[in-house]
Amino acid sequence: RDFPKAAKIRDFWALLAWLEERLAPAWAGRARWRLSSLEPGQLNEDALAVLGQSRLIAPHLHISLQSGSPDVLRRMGRSHYQPESLPGFLNALQRAWPVMGLGADLLMGFPGESEAEFAQTLGLAEDLPLTYAHVFPFSPRPGTIAADLPGHLPREAAEERAAAIRAVAAAKKENFLHFLAARRGSVLNMILESRDTALGISEYYASCRLTGAEIPAGLKAGLLLPVRPIRVEDGLLLVSPHAV
């Protein structure tokens, strides 16, 4: 309501386009936005247009997917989106973002989740170009609708299903880190989070660590730093500063 009517900000993507027009000339290359907790139903043609043209949005999405089963999503009260729409959108987006980070929230063992419904989520996780995932076993909260639904699974079963999805995501994360490390001639843009630990985050939401001997003197946390990938070590991408 605070925006001028002439801005015609009708939804989230129109808001981003409006902000991009005003902020990108001064901030592109100096700052970036990262989008999180998007639902698949938000990923439409407007999203493709905005993401493909933005100079501020990091090539990384985190999606609140929750399940790959339409029936489980219906029981969650999430029938307003369909998980099968996600691969097509991502294929189209990769024409603008040939390299991208992709995370998802997934909840396993929701009341009534059958073996077939679990298999739908497992299959979707295997098919998606995930680079990590946040996976949780269902745990009932008193007073919620889900707590009173029939068909609660044993805690052990929910944890086993969550562990299976985590294993898929962990393998994809490791593969993605090695893919980035193999691109020796490429330049990443890392935000240094701490000079003491030399840790930071690339535009693809990959955790990085600057090699200790090459941290420039006076480098401060919070700035975008061009770096080159070296190798993967202990689940991190080792990088070295790139001279601009």
Side-chain angles (χ1 to χ4, degrees), residues 99-101 131 171-181 204 206:
V99 180
M100 62 177 289
T131 57
K172 286 177 175 281
K173 178 180 179 179
E174 185 75 7
N175 288 340
F176 184 63
L177 290 176
H178 282 283
F179 166 77
L180 293 178
Y204 307 119

Side-chain angles (χ1 to χ4, degrees), residues 23-243:
L23 298 178
W27 289 99
R30 299 171 55 205
R32 68 187 181 206
W33 299 331
R34 194 177 294 285
L35 303 185
S36 185
S37 299
L38 295 169
E39 291 188 348
Q42 293 177 273
L43 303 177
N44 51 29
E45 290 298 321
D46 289 341
L48 282 176
V50 171
L51 296 176
Q53 297 172 10
S54 176
R55 294 189 291 155
L56 288 171
I57 298 173
H60 159 250
L61 298 177
H62 187 92
I63 299 171
S64 182
L65 178 58
Q66 305 306 330
S67 176
S69 166
D71 290 335
V72 171
L73 291 173
R74 176 182 52 77
R75 295 196 296 275
M76 287 182 177
R78 288 174 168 262
S79 56
H80 53 282
Y81 64 81
Q82 299 299 316
E84 58 266 27
S85 68
L86 191 52
F89 173 85
L90 294 172
N91 286 337
L93 181 59
Q94 283 186 313
R95 289 194 286 270
W97 289 356
V99 180
M100 62 177 289
L102 179 67
D105 293 325
L106 292 163
L107 179 65
M108 306 312 302
F110 193 78
E113 183 185 72
S114 66
E115 286 285 352
E117 290 168 342
F118 162 65
Q120 285 180 297
T121 300
L122 181 61
L124 184 60
E126 290 171 339
D127 291 342
L128 290 176
L130 293 171
T131 57
Y132 70 96
H134 297 161
V135 188
F136 306 94
F138 173 79
S139 180
R141 293 184 180 180
T144 63
I145 294 176
D148 296 327
L149 289 176
H152 280 241
L153 276 67
R155 178 72 180 183
E156 295 78 9
E159 290 179 344
E160 286 178 4
R161 293 180 180 183
I165 301 292
R166 287 194 195 107
V168 170
K172 286 177 175 281
K173 178 180 179 179
E174 185 75 7
N175 288 340
F176 184 63
L177 290 176
H178 282 283
F179 166 77
L180 293 178
R183 301 170 76 239
R184 294 294 181 88
S186 65
V187 177
L188 303 175
N189 290 300
M190 163 186 160
I191 287 185
L192 183 66
E193 295 184 323
S194 167
R195 181 174 173 80
D196 293 336
T197 63
L199 295 175
I201 300 291
S202 81
E203 64 266 50
Y204 307 119
Y205 204 62
S207 296
C208 304
R209 186 174 70 223
L210 282 169
T211 52
E214 305 208 30
I215 300 177
L219 184 63
K220 296 181 180 179
L223 296 178
L224 280 171
L225 177 69
V227 296
R228 288 194 180 276
I230 301 175
R231 65 181 183 276
V232 178
E233 186 176 286
D234 298 328
L236 296 169
L237 183 64
L238 292 189
V239 297
S240 63
H242 170 62

